[in-house]
Amino acid sequence: MDTITLKLGGMSCASCANSIEKTINSVPGVSECNVNFSSEQATVQYNPQKTDIKIIQHVVDAAGYSATPLKQQEMIAGEDDGDIAARKAEYRNLIRKLIVGGLISALLIIGALPMMTGLELSFIPVWLHNPWLQLVLTTPVQFWCGYRFYTGAWKALKRHGATMDTLIALGTSAAFFYSLFATIFPDFFINQGLMPFVYYETAAVVITLILLGQLFENRAKGQTSEAIRKLIGLQARDARVIRDGKEVDTPIQEVELDDLILVRPGEKIPVDGEVIEGSSTIDEAMVTGESVPVKKQPGDEVIGATINKTGSFKFRVTRVGSDTVLSQIVQLVRQAQGSKAPIQRLADRVTGWFVPIVIAIAISTFVIWFNFMGNISLALLPTVGVLIIACPCALGLATPTSVMVGTGKGAENGILIKDAQSLELAHKIQTIVLDKTGTLTEGKPTVTNFVTVDGTANKNEFKLIGLAASLERNSEHPLAEAVVRYAESQEVELINARDFEAFVGSGIQGYVSDKFVQIGTKRWFSEIGINTNLFSEQKDSWESQGKTVIWIAVDGKVEGLMGIADTLKPISTEAVRVMHKLGLEVVMLTGDNRPTAEAIAEEVGIERVFAEVRPEQKAAVVKSLQAEGIKRKSVVKIIAMVGDGINDAPALAQADVGIAIGTGTDVAIAASDITLISGDLRSIVTAIKLSRATIGNIRQNLFFAFFYNVLGIPIAAGILFPIFGWLLNPIIAGGAMAFSSVSVVTNALRLRNFQFKG
């Protein structure tokens, strides 16, 4: 399957988005299409052997809309000059039409006041009452200002559909052409004992108010993508590249892999790389959300768009273009903002049937009023009111705007959420499963204890260290790195090993010189028949201190024992405490031995521990925790797994919500639903709180949208008239309709005030 993002044109409401989504999904070879009305984009998964982009574009065009594929560079760069110019032109066009519509509507309202109030208002010029003058004034508003509604309705009609444009065109046309008939043939009404009232002001004011609402809505919708613009704006424009011994200011688009770049104090780091000379402190807040500057030395990675604070340094470029951390963040945020949350399904179903149902209600309203009252004027007003007040836009905007703001706000603070489904599911998390190494601990273990069978005479320990480190340097495991660093600190010379073999979660073995060396856990040694009765006292003592114990055997016999400690992250204890305070069950899952795991768990306040779990067993443990909910009368237990290593990837994928520590491996991040760039475990709680706030905001929006329509349509139809004698004026209906979607978007924008600390 391939995935493409399409920029859509011609949408006027949520019904349009629903129509495009159905149209694209009907194309053979398309597996899934999600249309985001708020961002005006569609994300399409399709089989390139069965269809292609041109076919998809053709069916969208045939439906009356436009679709333009967005290249990856365009998705990262944001709006191009053409998009910005088109948006500004649209805005200016709306302003012009609003000015014309507003001035004419004001004159028409003044002229209609005597009819609306039933009073003789002598201060209003008589000529303003003239229906022929009102016709001349209203015509440009109806057909120039309201042109977009007619074109939208016509496109919908051609594809046998109906949208918000259809409702507005029908409602205002009914008022306009009824008034036109009354103006040309007043005797028709007089002969039936009716006054030939005209409602030109209704048509003009409704169109003007809806245009005003669209103007506000467009401005508000633009603010939902503010996070993307902020992230893109962080990028440096130039880099000081050292080529042939000379410093050359180069646009970052021309920076290449392995280029050498100089960064001075106060400058932005242009792209990702590795420090090779010098040191400094880096402000990474714009990417990780952490305000404390980070010390960088040779060998450390630096991230593009972060700010150099104190010293000068040189670094070698390791990522450019779409591969940089910032570009990947932008891509992830766009992906999340283009996805659809499960909670949106109900709104989509309602929106699909909304406009036809409203038209049916409007026709029924006219028939009922005309039959009971026998007055076509009285039947017209509630009919127009029903057509005008109905607003599918509010339903269509309720979920995507909140998702866009929520995911964008998370990205600004170092929390990357893969899609809307993950965002929604996070607020239901009941159990957090934490990996130990690299998640609760720093992931940089060091050798703290070392004993050998032969003691220290004749430097026996150095011989064994050399054998162990020579074998361990072939492994990528953090414990292996600790052994190698220990050997280097003792200035022990390492030699090449051969026939190296790793047993995941157990140990390693191979030949160093003529010696067969094995390093691993006590359990593994017992399984392969190596006697581990030695060093019992040391082993128990070290494990009680939370240290990991590894055994070293040479030619099938135990020769030494190492104690390795991995210090806890300073924030781990506080993070676990906050998780408990939030009502979450916290579980530790580790491949380490039980005494060590329990010692660490006790220190941070975790009561439930799964220890000595091999990597391939971690996913099974997560699955068993999920099954605990099923045992309790089918109550689903939502599990989040937090990890940072390759061996955590299956468990991250198995969990309902996989959370990767951003300082970990790319594989873990790819398998996760949420990535914490900073590696701060407290961000887990923040992500859950953000999820709860976003889902709460979506529910508010959906309640408002449903409540508005459920209440507004019956009132417009005149349900209160028999009781109170009160009938909703179509002008008020137009104002309410215009501002309903604005209110939903404005409510979603409140998420920008979400507090990430505390």
Side-chain angles (χ1 to χ4, degrees):
M1 290 290 174
D2 284 354
T3 301
I4 186 71
T5 300
L6 302 173
K7 182 68 176 175
L8 302 173
M11 289 196 300
S12 61
C13 69
S15 294
C16 298
N18 209 39
S19 176
I20 294 173
E21 194 168 282
K22 288 181 179 178
T23 299
I24 296 177
N25 276 320
S26 68
V27 176
V30 172
S31 64
E32 184 180 7
C33 171
N34 286 323
V35 173
N36 188 320
F37 173 52
S38 188
S39 65
E40 298 181 339
Q41 290 183 1
T43 304
V44 185
Q45 283 187 348
Y46 67 98
N47 186 338
Q49 295 179 346
K50 295 183 178 180
T51 189
D52 57 36
I53 300 303
K54 290 184 178 179
I55 293 174
I56 296 172
Q57 283 182 278
H58 176 72
V59 298
V60 174
D61 290 341
Y65 305 98
S66 64
T68 306
L70 285 178
K71 296 179 181 178
Q72 190 178 54
Q73 294 87 340
E74 293 173 328
M75 292 181 66
I76 296 167
E79 291 182 310
D80 59 21
D81 293 340
D83 290 333
I84 294 172
R87 184 160 48 81
K88 288 181 177 179
E90 171 70 9
Y91 188 81
R92 287 193 298 268
N93 188 40
L94 272 174
I95 290 291
R96 283 194 299 268
K97 291 185 176 182
L98 272 174
I99 292 172
V100 172
L103 292 174
I104 292 175
S105 295
L107 287 173
L108 290 169
I109 286 288
I110 294 171
L113 279 176
M115 185 192 76
M116 294 169 64
T117 62
L119 302 175
E120 292 187 9
L121 303 174
S122 57
F123 62 88
I124 297 177
V126 176
W127 52 268
L128 276 179
H129 303 175
N130 190 304
W132 288 100
L133 174 63
Q134 292 182 354
L135 170 62
V136 172
L137 290 173
T138 306
T139 299
V141 179
Q142 184 72 34
F143 299 106
W144 181 65
C145 297
Y147 177 75
R148 59 172 55 209
F149 305 123
Y150 282 103
T151 55
W154 175 246
K155 288 178 182 178
L157 182 63
K158 285 198 297 184
R159 62 176 183 273
H160 310 293
T163 65
M164 182 194 76
D165 290 332
T166 308
L167 298 179
I168 297 169
L170 282 175
T172 58
S173 294
F176 179 83
F177 287 107
Y178 172 85
S179 302
L180 177 62
F181 187 82
T183 301
I184 299 173
F185 306 107
D187 292 341
F188 174 82
F189 296 91
I190 295 171
N191 292 336
Q192 298 183 55
L194 300 173
M195 291 297 293
F197 291 128
V198 293
Y199 299 99
Y200 291 117
E201 78 287 345
T202 298
V205 174
V206 164
I207 287 175
T208 303
L209 285 173
I210 292 171
L211 288 176
L212 179 63
Q214 288 187 345
L215 182 73
F216 288 156
E217 179 188 321
N218 288 341
R219 290 188 63 182
K221 280 167 64 178
Q223 294 176 46
T224 61
S225 299
E226 183 179 353
I228 292 284
R229 288 194 295 272
K230 280 185 178 179
L231 288 168
I232 294 169
L234 294 174
Q235 199 170 38
R237 296 180 181 275
D238 301 300
R240 187 171 287 107
V241 182
I242 300 175
R243 289 175 179 162
D244 300 325
K246 297 180 180 180
E247 298 175 13
V248 182
D249 287 336
T250 307
I252 60 167
Q253 293 86 353
E254 298 177 14
V255 174
E256 299 176 355
L257 289 174
D258 295 325
D259 271 346
L260 195 61
I261 294 180
L262 173 66
V263 184
R264 296 191 176 110
E267 294 180 339
K268 277 186 180 181
I269 296 169
V271 291
D272 300 355
E274 180 183 339
V275 178
I276 62 168
E277 183 182 323
S279 63
S280 182
T281 54
I282 307 295
D283 180 359
E284 296 183 340
M286 64 285 297
V287 176
T288 66
E290 292 299 317
S291 58
V292 179
V294 181
K295 180 74 173 178
K296 297 290 183 180
Q297 297 176 330
D300 291 337
E301 290 187 357
V302 290
I303 302 172
T306 56
I307 299 175
N308 182 29
K309 300 291 286 186
T310 54
S312 295
F313 63 91
K314 296 176 183 177
F315 74 91
R316 190 178 306 282
V317 176
T318 56
R319 295 189 188 96
V320 294
S322 61
D323 294 328
T324 63
V325 170
L326 181 63
S327 295
Q328 290 177 16
I329 290 173
V330 172
Q331 289 178 61
L332 278 171
V333 174
R334 286 197 184 277
Q335 175 185 320
Q337 292 185 344
S339 61
K340 187 170 289 188
I343 198 173
Q344 193 175 342
R345 291 171 188 156
L346 175 61
D348 286 346
R349 284 197 293 269
V350 172
T351 303
W353 291 96
F354 188 86
V355 175
I357 289 173
V358 169
I359 293 174
I361 292 173
I363 293 171
S364 301
T365 300
F366 182 85
V367 171
I368 292 170
W369 274 91
F370 187 73
N371 284 341
F372 278 91
M373 306 300 292
N375 188 325
I376 192 171
S377 296
L378 200 56
L380 178 69
L381 288 177
T383 303
V384 173
V386 169
L387 290 169
I388 297 302
I389 201 168
C391 182
C393 290
L395 285 171
L397 290 166
T399 300
T401 47
S402 296
V403 169
M404 289 179 73
V405 178
T407 53
K409 189 68 177 175
E412 286 180 29
N413 290 268
I415 300 171
L416 300 183
I417 301 168
K418 183 174 288 186
D419 53 37
Q421 183 171 349
S422 304
L423 178 66
E424 179 177 339
L425 202 56
H427 88 285
K428 300 178 182 178
I429 291 172
Q430 297 164 287
T431 300
I432 299 279
V433 180
L434 299 173
D435 176 52
K436 180 179 76 69
T437 305
T439 301
L440 285 167
T441 64
E442 294 286 0
K444 296 180 180 178
T446 55
V447 176
T448 57
N449 305 84
F450 179 46
V451 293
T452 67
V453 171
D454 295 332
T456 58
N458 299 319
K459 296 186 177 182
N460 289 312
E461 77 276 17
F462 292 120
K463 296 177 184 177
L464 190 58
I465 291 170
L467 292 174
S470 295
L471 185 64
E472 288 281 23
R473 71 174 176 176
N474 293 279
S475 172
E476 82 292 341
H477 198 282
L479 297 183
E481 294 177 9
V483 175
V484 173
R485 284 197 303 269
Y486 181 67
E488 290 173 346
S489 69
Q490 302 297 321
E491 298 182 354
V492 174
E493 184 179 353
L494 305 184
I495 56 179
N496 292 328
R498 58 187 173 85
D499 299 333
F500 174 83
E501 192 173 2
F503 300 88
V504 181
S506 298
I508 58 173
Q509 66 183 29
Y511 286 91
V512 181
S513 294
D514 58 344
K515 305 288 186 182
F516 182 59
V517 182
Q518 293 169 294
I519 306 172
T521 64
K522 180 180 179 181
R523 182 184 63 188
W524 182 52
F525 273 28
S526 299
E527 289 174 357
I528 59 179
I530 297 178
N531 188 346
T532 56
N533 292 328
L534 294 171
F535 306 123
S536 298
E537 186 176 336
Q538 289 94 333
K539 168 188 167 296
D540 293 341
S541 174
W542 295 351
E543 288 180 345
S544 68
Q545 299 170 34
K547 297 176 182 179
T548 299
V549 177
I550 61 172
W551 299 73
I552 305 171
V554 178
D555 294 330
K557 293 183 179 180
V558 171
E559 294 292 343
L561 198 67
M562 274 189 176
I564 300 177
D566 187 5
T567 56
L568 279 171
K569 291 179 179 178
I571 44 80
S572 291
T573 302
E574 181 190 349
V576 171
R577 179 185 61 79
V578 176
M579 289 178 202
H580 282 143
K581 190 176 179 181
L582 207 60
L584 300 169
E585 177 190 22
V586 185
V587 176
M588 180 195 287
L589 179 60
T590 179
D592 218 335
N593 61 76
R594 180 161 292 279
T596 300
E598 289 179 345
I600 294 290
E602 183 179 359
E603 189 173 349
V604 297
I606 296 176
E607 297 179 359
R608 193 173 182 185
V609 178
F610 291 88
E612 300 178 6
V613 180
R614 292 179 177 175
E616 69 272 15
Q617 298 172 329
K618 287 187 175 183
V621 172
V622 172
K623 194 172 183 178
S624 70
L625 289 170
Q626 291 168 324
E628 289 179 359
I630 298 174
K631 293 174 184 176
R632 294 191 312 220
K633 297 180 181 179
S634 299
V635 176
V636 178
K637 192 172 187 180
I638 305 299
I639 307 294
M641 171 70 195
V642 186
D644 76 323
I646 292 173
N647 60 352
D648 297 322
L652 288 169
Q654 173 63 44
D656 298 289
V657 180
I659 303 176
I661 302 297
T663 49
T665 66
D666 290 341
V667 175
I669 293 171
S672 68
D673 301 301
I674 298 174
T675 301
L676 311 178
I677 300 177
S678 67
D680 188 337
L681 285 181
R682 290 172 297 186
S683 296
I684 297 171
V685 176
T686 305
I688 293 173
K689 287 182 176 179
L690 176 62
S691 170
R692 292 179 178 180
T694 304
I695 297 304
N697 191 273
I698 289 172
R699 286 172 176 163
Q700 292 167 5
N701 286 346
L702 287 173
F703 171 79
F704 177 81
F706 277 114
F707 179 78
Y708 166 84
N709 284 292
V710 168
L711 187 66
I713 292 174
I715 291 176
I719 197 172
L720 299 179
F721 186 80
I723 305 171
F724 303 105
W726 186 73
L727 197 60
L728 186 68
N729 191 305
I731 291 176
I732 298 174
M737 182 272 180
F739 288 98
S740 61
S741 53
V742 177
S743 301
V744 166
V745 178
T746 303
N747 185 53
L749 291 174
R750 291 192 306 108
L751 283 171
R752 294 188 301 175
N753 300 321
F754 177 81
Q755 297 296 317
F756 276 78
K757 302 298 180 183

